[in-house]
Amino acid sequence: MLTTSMTEQGNCMTLLDAQEGMEYIVAGIDTQDEELNAFLFSLGCYSGQPITVVARRAGGCVVSIKDGRYNIDRQLAAAIRI
């Protein structure tokens, strides 16, 4: 499986830009909401961690983080930089 990062792409991407099935590295989380940051951290979604978009859905996408799969909405996906 290929791994892609923000520096390899040359620009800032979010999970909305990610291709299904490709593994990316989380570059950061763009939110001022501390509860959201704490929630994502509890899932294992923080800078330097791998993340994969497993499937796209109308309201967001299904992602694989560590050993779990999570359904996240478009707003949250837009906040996760890869």
Side-chain angles (χ1 to χ4, degrees), residues 60-82:
C61 57
V62 177
V63 296
S64 175
I65 305 169
K66 295 196 177 200
D67 293 331
R69 288 189 180 198
Y70 307 96
N71 188 24
I72 61 172
D73 64 18
R74 293 183 58 78
Q75 183 179 2
L76 185 54
I80 301 172
R81 289 184 293 112
I82 52 173

Side-chain angles (χ1 to χ4, degrees), residues 26-80:
V26 175
I29 309 295
D30 285 333
T31 182
Q32 299 301 318
D33 185 342
E34 290 302 317
E35 287 183 31
L36 181 58
N37 277 331
F39 171 71
L40 289 172
F41 187 83
S42 73
L43 298 180
C45 184
Y46 47 87
S47 293
Q49 292 300 305
I51 189 168
T52 303
V53 174
V54 177
R56 296 211 177 271
R57 302 287 185 242
C61 57
V62 177
V63 296
S64 175
I65 305 169
K66 295 196 177 200
D67 293 331
R69 288 189 180 198
Y70 307 96
N71 188 24
I72 61 172
D73 64 18
R74 293 183 58 78
Q75 183 179 2
L76 185 54
I80 301 172

